[in-house]
Amino acid sequence: MNVLGIETSCDDSSAAVVVDGRTVRSCVTSSQDSFHRRFGGVVPEIASRAHMEAIDVVCADALEQAGLTPAQIDAVAVTNGPGLVGSLLVGVGFAKGFAYTRGLPFLGVNHLEGHIAAAFLDSEAPTFPFVALVVSGGHSHLYEVVDFFRMRLLGQTVDDAAGEAFDKAAKLLGLGFPGGPAIDRAAQQGDPAACRLPRPMLHSDDLAMSFSGLKTAIRRLIEDAGGLAGLSTPDLAASFQAAVVDVLVGKALAALERTGIPRLVICGGVSANRRLREQAAAACNRRGMALTVPAPAYCTDNAAMIAAAGYRRLAAGERSALTLNGYASLAEAPR
Ligand code: KG4
Ligand code: ZN
């Protein structure tokens, strides 16, 4: 089944063609970073307008790169939440039009399910059940994933998401937007042990996480030094990154222990982080646990993961009606 996936939940306009939820024939993503950079974050109104301009181009490119005509597409999957409503509606509207005019089945997909389905793209697929650590700009969640359709929330951040913490820390460090990749890059030249930073909730007796205190700790370090001038930005970036990664890996290991499941998947934009990938691999290796992290291009928002998640449900007969809407939180969506 050739599924056209469409993702416009935040600031990336992406379209992809994926065969049977595994083989990526094409994945075209148009980043809006240059539009949002001067505002230091994603401006929702700008994001939806940029999606409007990009959506037909990325879809046409995805078909062309896949070497397929629209007539060779079997179904359409589109993110319909959670995300920025104005952004979501651009993808949902386009998907409806594409599917309706060609009489194709189409389906709204949960963005988080998409991030988890990225683990099944191209590489060796993880075995169910597994523990998934979903770390992105909006989420730091641990799930027990039973199969493609069932997952149980084990724990989540009580304040900022990990990606949000990266973005806010990068702003304080003057590293610009988007912050995660900037900290990852700066940290390459820094010493992760240079600044003493807390590991919030690492030893709390649960699977909750907290990242806003780390951002405050960075702000204090800068204030105490009388500004950034006297500090090493690479050292601060490396120390901050090490603290976040210690907490994420520690909590993921605690979830594996609690559930007794020896398989971990890490996904979402933050899973592109080099230190997180290295530390998680080393920790799982030591314990004989299996680890799957998608290729970096499938960690950050992309439409291939949406096509992969949509495929499983479409193959099981699920369909969305043409009344499908976009939702900031899928808890608001009618069932
Ligand atoms: O999954 P994603 O692309 O969008 C959301 O669903 O939110 O995640 C974006 C987040 C941003 O906060 C970004 O700074 C972070 O992922 N991110 C990273 C890296 N690449 C992206 N964080 C740390 N290291 C990276 N290399
Ligand atoms: Zn995402």
Side-chain angles (χ1 to χ4, degrees):
M1 192 195 286
N2 291 326
V3 176
L4 173 67
I6 297 176
E7 154 66 42
T8 62
S9 69
C10 188
D11 62 337
D12 289 306
S13 321
S14 186
V17 179
V18 178
V19 187
D20 294 343
R22 296 242 335 126
T23 311
V24 183
R25 284 189 76 131
S26 66
C27 183
V28 178
T29 303
S30 164
S31 159
Q32 303 178 2
D33 287 353
S34 57
F35 299 125
H36 301 291
R37 187 164 286 127
R38 70 188 137 126
F39 301 103
V42 177
V43 183
E45 184 58 29
I46 293 177
S48 19
R49 283 167 193 268
H51 284 308
M52 293 275 283
E53 284 175 17
I55 190 68
D56 54 343
V57 181
V58 292
C59 286
D61 283 359
L63 286 168
E64 194 187 315
Q65 287 183 25
L68 297 174
T69 64
Q72 291 170 296
I73 294 296
D74 301 305
V76 183
V78 60
T79 310
N80 79 315
L84 302 169
V85 172
S87 290
L88 288 164
L89 289 178
V90 178
V92 169
F94 188 92
K96 282 182 191 175
F98 190 96
Y100 178 70
T101 50
R102 293 169 181 85
L104 295 175
F106 101 109
L107 187 69
V109 170
N110 177 338
H111 185 77
L112 289 184
E113 240 180 79
H115 273 303
I116 295 172
F120 293 84
L121 290 171
D122 285 345
S123 59
E124 200 180 318
T127 308
F128 290 114
F130 54 80
V131 168
L133 172 66
V134 187
V135 270
S136 67
H139 292 83
S140 295
H141 286 47
L142 276 161
Y143 293 99
E144 178 180 337
V145 183
V146 181
D147 55 33
F148 282 114
F149 311 111
R150 285 179 297 166
M151 52 195 202
R152 184 168 71 91
L153 182 65
L154 299 170
Q156 60 179 304
T157 177
V158 296
D159 42 51
D160 291 353
E164 192 180 355
F166 268 99
D167 293 333
K168 288 176 175 170
K171 216 179 225 182
L172 291 169
L173 297 178
L175 289 171
F177 171 87
I183 289 194
D184 193 340
R185 263 192 311 275
Q188 295 289 303
Q189 269 75 50
D191 173 6
C195 315
R196 280 174 59 98
L197 290 171
R199 269 50 178 168
M201 297 186 84
L202 181 55
H203 300 295
S204 67
D205 198 22
D206 56 21
L207 297 175
M209 294 166 255
S210 164
F211 297 103
S212 74
L214 271 172
K215 168 197 65 194
T216 312
I218 291 278
R219 177 178 296 134
R220 282 228 182 88
L221 277 174
I222 298 172
E223 280 167 10
D224 291 350
L228 269 175
L231 293 167
S232 155
T233 310
D235 280 354
L236 277 168
S239 303
F240 170 81
Q241 178 175 273
V244 175
V245 167
D246 279 357
V247 174
L248 291 176
V249 172
K251 289 293 175 173
L253 292 176
L256 294 172
E257 208 161 278
R258 271 175 186 240
T259 55
I261 297 172
R263 288 171 295 274
L264 176 65
V265 164
I266 309 185
C267 54
V270 179
S271 64
N273 184 267
R274 280 172 280 189
R275 186 175 174 95
L276 176 58
R277 298 171 81 94
E278 286 160 15
Q279 300 279 312
C284 288
N285 215 359
R286 275 197 298 276
R287 289 165 181 78
M289 311 267 192
L291 172 70
T292 308
V293 191
Y298 303 140
C299 290
T300 46
D301 287 350
N302 69 87
M305 68 186 199
I306 302 305
Y311 163 74
R312 320 285 164 182
R313 292 188 175 272
L314 284 158
E318 268 189 55
R319 304 286 184 266
S320 290
L322 285 170
T323 49
L324 183 78
N325 216 335
Y327 296 93
S329 155
L330 281 176
E332 306 157 29
R335 299 205 176 251

